[in-house]
Amino acid sequence: MVFKKMLSAFGVGGPSVDTVLTNPNTRPGLTLDGQVNLVGGDAEAAIEQVVIGLVTRVEVEGHDTEYAGTMEFHRMAVSGSLVLAPKQQLSIPFQLPVPWETPITDVYGQRLHGMTMGLRTELAIARAVDKSDLDQVAVHPLPVHERILEAFQRLGFRFKHADLERGHIRGVQQTLPFYQEIEFFASPQYASTIREVELTFVTSQRGVEVILECDKRGGFLSAGHDAFGRYQVAHTDADRVDWAQVVDGWLRETTSRYGSLRSQYGPSHGHGHSRGHGMGGMVAGAALGVAGGMIAGEMIEDAFEGDFGGDFGGDE
């Protein structure tokens, strides 16, 4: 194997680190498997520890500013202290659990515009500058995510952008310090009431909490123009309901609450911070047992190979 990433921070003849993933594609709740390959340099090196971690790009809102930064949100040590002899080759296998709340980066093989994800390897070397390696990772949706995203597509919504917002959604149990927003332009049939919709999944082992933020008249920064809905679905519902019908019901219920919400809660406090105003309509997964046929998974991929995939990907 050719080790291309001979990092010279230790000196010209220092050790190198190269992580190889068995498969860079994964899903929330699964694992990333691979091995960390170390190669000794010209001299013996004392390695304090080898750590891997998932990193992504997160939007951070301040009082009057908004900026993006790279955040590591999940890490694991794959080795404790060891001594690496000159030119010694050492491979350390690992299996990193992927948190259930890990954001989705790819849909139907297309990268969501605005999303990044990587696995960073840190090699802590005693009395020397640490080495690192970064490998791209693709996080694909779970079946229930996929069905809901496909329902938005069937209802005519067009994907706009996805990003991660630092913070917590009021009233929602989160384990990660950020949440994902997947933004859509409204379809013509909803255009009279909705301009855009932001979709958030907060996933757990049991199911998914779905949070909708509908932009009604005016921009997201316009006070009082957002309507919120919050719904609970189970992973087992993925192939049991007509998701286009369910999502349409969510949208109609969410937007119909708008008038009373505005008078009850007053203007929102700005995009990203008003999550949770009037979030109601908790629907148990079992209550979504609406009869209706879903297109089979493989048929969806064929049907949207050019259309759906191209809409979600791209460099706009």
Side-chain angles (χ1 to χ4, degrees), residues 10-282:
F10 186 75
V12 176
S16 70
V17 57
D18 180 32
T19 296
V20 178
L21 289 168
T22 306
N23 185 348
N25 298 284
T26 189
R27 286 184 169 84
L30 299 184
T31 62
L32 275 171
D33 301 354
Q35 59 187 40
V36 177
N37 297 316
L38 306 178
V39 178
D42 293 339
E44 185 178 89
I47 310 297
E48 294 176 340
Q49 68 171 347
V50 181
V51 177
I52 56 174
L54 287 170
V55 296
T56 189
R57 182 182 173 87
V58 178
E59 302 287 333
V60 181
E61 289 187 1
H63 293 292
D64 299 307
T65 60
E66 185 169 335
Y67 62 93
T70 300
M71 177 185 289
E72 181 182 78
F73 63 92
H74 183 55
R75 64 189 276 128
M76 181 179 82
V78 297
S79 171
S81 60
L82 58 93
V83 174
L84 200 61
K87 308 302 180 187
Q88 179 184 355
Q89 296 187 19
L90 181 64
S91 291
I92 306 169
F94 64 83
Q95 194 170 56
L96 178 71
V98 177
W100 285 100
E101 287 178 29
T102 301
I104 296 162
T105 65
D106 290 65
V107 177
Y108 297 128
Q110 297 286 328
R111 176 61 51 112
L112 285 178
H113 181 58
M115 292 305 304
T116 62
M117 184 71 63
L119 181 74
R120 182 167 62 194
T121 306
E122 295 175 3
L123 184 64
I125 307 170
R127 300 176 302 280
V129 179
D130 293 350
K131 306 295 184 63
S132 66
D133 182 30
L134 186 64
D135 296 86
Q136 184 167 292
V137 170
V139 183
H140 300 267
L142 290 165
V144 71
H145 298 144
E146 205 166 79
R147 302 297 185 268
I148 293 171
L149 290 169
E150 194 263 340
F152 272 93
Q153 191 76 7
R154 284 171 60 191
L155 293 170
F157 286 78
R158 288 186 302 116
F159 173 74
K160 176 186 176 184
H161 184 74
D163 65 9
L164 303 179
E165 297 282 342
R166 184 164 189 174
H168 287 78
I169 301 170
R170 196 173 312 164
V172 177
Q173 281 196 320
Q174 283 175 246
T175 61
L176 297 183
F178 54 75
Y179 53 89
Q180 183 174 31
E181 292 181 333
I182 301 173
E183 301 175 23
F184 293 94
F185 293 112
S187 60
Q189 64 174 313
Y190 299 94
S192 61
T193 53
I194 305 172
R195 286 188 57 196
E196 297 179 2
V197 173
E198 288 184 353
L199 167 67
T200 293
F201 295 125
V202 180
T203 309
S204 69
Q205 190 171 355
R206 298 175 303 282
V208 181
E209 197 145 11
V210 181
I211 296 96
L212 301 177
E213 180 177 345
C214 297
D215 173 21
K216 298 190 59 174
R217 300 194 297 274
F220 281 112
L221 296 175
S222 300
H225 284 226
D226 294 344
F228 299 89
R230 177 176 152 195
Y231 304 92
Q232 189 82 32
V233 298
H235 291 297
T236 51
D237 287 331
D239 296 315
R240 292 181 179 175
V241 303
D242 181 339
W243 283 107
Q245 187 175 336
V246 171
V247 171
D248 175 70
W250 289 349
L251 290 167
R252 293 183 188 281
E253 182 184 355
T254 298
T255 54
S256 69
R257 287 202 220 100
Y258 171 69
S260 60
L261 278 182
R262 194 173 182 190
S263 59
Q264 182 180 355
Y265 290 94
S268 66
H269 300 140
H271 176 43
H273 298 289
S274 57
R275 285 296 181 108
H277 278 201
M279 284 184 182
M282 292 296 285

